[in-house]
Amino acid sequence: MFITIDDHTMEGITIFYCLILSLPLIFMLSHHGRKKGAMKLPPGPPTLLFVAKFVVLGRSVFQIGPILRGLHARHGPIISIWLVRTFVFVADRRLAHSILIKSNGNFDDRPPSTEMMHLFFPHTISTSPYGAYWRLVRRNLHAQALHPSRLRLFAPARQRACDAILGSLRDDASRVIAVRPLLGRCLFEVLVCMSLGARLGQEVLDELQEMHQQIFHAITSFPVFSIFPALTKRLLRKRWATHVALNERRNEVLLPLIRAPRGGENPSCYADSLLELRVAEEGSRPLTDAEMVTLCSEFMTAAVDTTMSLIEWIMAELVNHPDVQAKVYQEVREKPELNEDDLCGMPYLKAVVLEGTRLHPGAHLIIPHGVKNDAEIGGYMVPKGSEVNFLVADFGLDETVWTAAREFRPERFLDGDDLDITGSREIKMAPFGAGRRMCPGYTLAIMHAEYFVGSLVREFEWLPPSPAEATVDMTEDLASIIAMKHPLRARIIPRA
Ligand code: HEM
């Protein structure tokens, strides 16, 4: 008789045995690591206790947020855990400001990538170490694809996508709808167009979207292949082979699209800028195929789910706060047709979007930062090579800065001083990070959120799904980015 073990169970067994096998090693190394305690590392729990808690309580790296909150409550705003290297966690916005803004680049590196990131995103902006290549590709994204003049050229693509959503919703008007799949598809189409220039056929778009969803899932699930990679890749060889095949297929599909002749009516796109880029420090070489594929892929992966989730949260808040929704409608109805130039004259809509980013940042932690040289943070020593993480989700909930911090009150962004979202003066919230590594796409994300939220409210009134479900369930799903656990369902009524 054969017993078949599914892949999920096999993963569980593999993690369990890898941890059992590594216990003596963790104990030995953590003991060695804590010896650096003479240098006064930030306080923290014993490594074994932390590992056990992490494995018992959650298997997604994103579920670490609640575990960390408990540890900060016990040990203070800066803690460290030793797991082969020192992991530092910062929960205080002032400390974060001194690290991210005032430390002159010492914390702007990235720690080594997980196996999965190394497979799918080896040459991207987000994974590159602080240095010449990172500067080059980041500056290119900023000055080319995300330059306001370039963004404007893609207004027709945005309008097409928006018309498509509104059209589908009109067909379903007065029924209960789920907006997430429509939003995901329309943002994906816009980002593909900005990235690759041309309008692609539905079949190619379907395949690209499916692949990007699978990649997103792979990089945000438990990093099992980072535990003894040589062993786990053998034990879970079918799973690893699936990832390798997915990566190869992505390269096969994307590369010809990047290299395809464009021109004519199509505005110059991100791929065009990558084809023209030269790495001066390496004899002015052009980018390799692998670099171009992963950079284009990063553009789509970084922008779609994060922005979609933000818009969905904001729409959910508007269903729960009809008074706020009415004020947004008041503002957007003034215009015969909403376009991007109108957005700068809509302070209330902007306030709604900012309040959405404050209450619903994409993740508990931003991407980890690496430390180039030994440094002191908050009176503790943080050794070179450590990984520093910031609990940004809590910065926007600090009651010393935000009155009734857990309530959705967009007015707070109308009354006070202008918020400096880059955090260069002071970090009050940091949904996009801060400093040199801050999200380069934040203006695009905010513009998309304003444009789509404004358009959705202009066309429809958004109501709870039924009298029995009078408010939307705002529970967070911690499986990857902080998305709504139960995707928004709402009843929509066309505006007269
Ligand atoms: C609501 C939407 C978004 C959120 C919440 C978000 C959030 C973030 C955060 C927290 C970081 C890490 C910052 C750090 O390490 O200090 C980041 C990095 C990054 N984001 Fe975004 N992002 C969003 C949209 C976008 C968009 C639209 C793009 C591009 C089109 C983008 C591209 C990137 C890139 C390339 C990085 C890496 C930056 C670096 O390492 O230098 N993001 N994002």
Side-chain angles (χ1 to χ4, degrees):
M1 193 176 71
F2 293 102
I3 299 172
T4 50
I5 299 179
D6 68 37
D7 213 28
H8 197 69
T9 315
M10 188 61 194
E11 181 188 314
I13 296 172
T14 304
I15 294 171
F16 180 75
Y17 280 109
C18 282
L19 285 172
I20 295 286
L21 281 174
S22 57
L23 283 184
L25 188 70
I26 291 177
F27 180 75
M28 213 173 69
L29 293 177
S30 70
H31 193 64
H32 166 79
R34 285 285 171 196
K35 269 191 186 160
K36 285 197 173 161
M39 294 162 70
K40 215 176 161 209
L41 289 172
T47 304
L48 286 179
L49 191 72
F50 177 76
V51 172
K53 237 185 187 170
F54 185 55
V55 172
V56 170
L57 289 184
R59 293 179 49 192
S60 158
V61 277
F62 292 86
Q63 285 168 343
I64 201 172
I67 300 174
L68 286 175
R69 266 182 210 113
L71 293 174
H72 280 296
R74 178 171 322 155
H75 300 285
I78 172 164
I79 59 175
S80 71
I81 296 155
W82 206 85
L83 277 167
V84 189
R85 61 175 182 272
T86 307
F87 286 69
V88 174
F89 295 88
V90 176
D92 179 84
R93 60 188 184 84
R94 287 184 202 85
L95 274 180
H97 184 259
S98 65
I99 297 169
L100 291 171
I101 306 287
K102 293 193 194 156
S103 64
N104 223 4
N106 193 35
F107 294 90
D108 292 332
D109 215 357
R110 292 287 186 217
S113 289
T114 61
E115 288 295 303
M116 211 59 100
M117 287 301 275
H118 194 65
L119 175 68
F120 289 115
F121 295 110
H123 314 285
T124 55
I125 303 172
S126 44
T127 52
S128 291
Y130 184 64
Y133 176 81
W134 166 77
R135 247 190 308 276
L136 177 78
V137 285
R138 182 168 167 123
R139 202 174 289 153
N140 176 66
L141 174 68
H142 211 266
Q144 298 289 327
L146 298 179
H147 192 273
S149 62
R150 191 64 64 84
L151 289 184
R152 219 166 282 132
L153 299 177
F154 290 92
R158 275 187 282 280
Q159 185 161 1
R160 251 190 334 261
C162 191
D163 289 348
I165 299 195
L166 297 177
S168 304
L169 291 178
R170 262 182 228 117
D171 294 342
D172 278 337
S174 304
R175 292 217 296 265
V176 173
I177 57 101
V179 76
R180 187 185 287 186
L182 291 172
L183 269 176
R185 179 57 173 221
C186 103
L187 283 165
F188 189 72
E189 291 197 19
V190 174
L191 267 297
V192 166
C193 193
M194 291 177 68
S195 180
L196 302 169
R199 277 180 83 180
L200 304 180
Q202 290 303 312
E203 233 172 83
V204 188
L205 279 170
D206 286 346
E207 185 176 9
L208 271 178
Q209 191 178 9
E210 173 67 26
M211 279 191 299
H212 275 93
Q213 277 165 355
Q214 286 176 13
I215 292 174
F216 191 76
H217 181 70
I219 59 173
T220 54
S221 55
F222 188 86
V224 60
F225 293 109
S226 296
I227 313 172
F228 300 131
L231 184 66
T232 41
K233 280 182 201 165
R234 277 181 81 87
L235 288 172
L236 297 168
R237 68 174 82 76
K238 257 174 56 201
R239 164 101 59 103
W240 182 250
T242 314
H243 293 315
V244 173
L246 175 62
N247 184 44
E248 280 165 8
R249 180 68 191 142
R250 176 191 60 174
N251 299 350
E252 259 170 41
V253 175
L254 268 182
L255 194 58
L257 294 170
I258 292 171
R259 291 208 173 275
R262 278 173 287 269
E265 301 283 284
N266 295 318
S268 173
C269 61
Y270 187 40
D272 291 329
S273 72
L274 297 175
L275 286 164
E276 280 165 23
L277 208 58
R278 295 292 176 269
V279 187
E281 288 72 12
E282 296 173 37
S284 286
R285 68 162 178 90
L287 295 186
T288 63
D289 289 351
E291 286 167 345
M292 289 190 294
V293 165
T294 49
L295 284 163
C296 274
S297 196
E298 172 187 58
F299 189 75
M300 304 172 208
T301 311
V304 175
D305 285 71
T306 46
T307 314
M308 176 188 73
S309 175
L310 172 63
I311 298 175
E312 190 183 36
W313 279 117
I314 295 172
M315 294 311 296
E317 293 286 5
L318 295 182
V319 172
N320 282 348
H321 297 88
D323 51 328
V324 176
Q325 188 181 154
K327 287 187 201 167
V328 173
Y329 179 56
Q330 202 60 37
E331 198 170 68
V332 294
R333 68 184 290 200
E334 306 277 302
K335 302 285 171 191
E337 198 178 70
L338 195 66
N339 69 49
E340 293 157 28
D341 292 336
D342 296 329
L343 296 175
C344 30
M346 301 190 167
Y348 196 76
L349 177 60
K350 184 167 285 302
V352 164
V353 169
L354 286 177
E355 182 68 339
T357 63
R358 183 187 72 81
L359 272 180
H360 307 290
H364 289 284
L365 301 165
I366 55 175
I367 306 173
H369 285 230
V371 183
K372 282 206 295 210
N373 297 305
D374 288 357
E376 194 213 300
I377 309 179
Y380 298 105
M381 172 57 79
V382 174
K384 170 183 174 175
S386 308
E387 164 171 336
V388 185
N389 294 276
F390 301 88
L391 204 51
V392 287
D394 289 10
F395 297 172
L397 299 178
D398 185 338
E399 293 279 349
T400 62
V401 176
W402 308 99
T403 315
R406 287 177 189 275
E407 286 175 24
F408 186 72
R409 291 187 185 178
E411 281 72 13
R412 67 174 90 243
F413 288 103
L414 296 174
D415 305 339
D417 301 337
D418 265 359
L419 172 82
D420 169 23
I421 201 161
T422 66
S424 39
R425 272 180 277 131
E426 179 190 7
I427 291 181
K428 291 182 175 172
M429 58 191 246
F432 301 102
R436 289 180 176 81
R437 284 282 187 171
M438 180 182 177
C439 175
Y442 76 95
T443 44
L444 178 66
I446 289 179
M447 186 264 271
H448 275 162
E450 288 174 11
Y451 179 63
F452 287 105
V453 168
S455 303
L456 292 171
V457 171
R458 197 171 173 284
E459 290 291 314
F460 303 101
E461 186 180 355
W462 291 72
L463 302 162
S466 69
E469 296 169 81
T471 54
V472 174
D473 180 351
M474 304 296 271
T475 311
E476 293 176 348
D477 178 6
L478 302 180
S480 77
I481 54 169
I482 308 182
M484 292 181 71
K485 182 162 186 176
H486 307 290
L488 172 64
R489 290 164 56 257
R491 201 155 53 85
I492 51 171
I493 298 180
R495 305 276 186 190

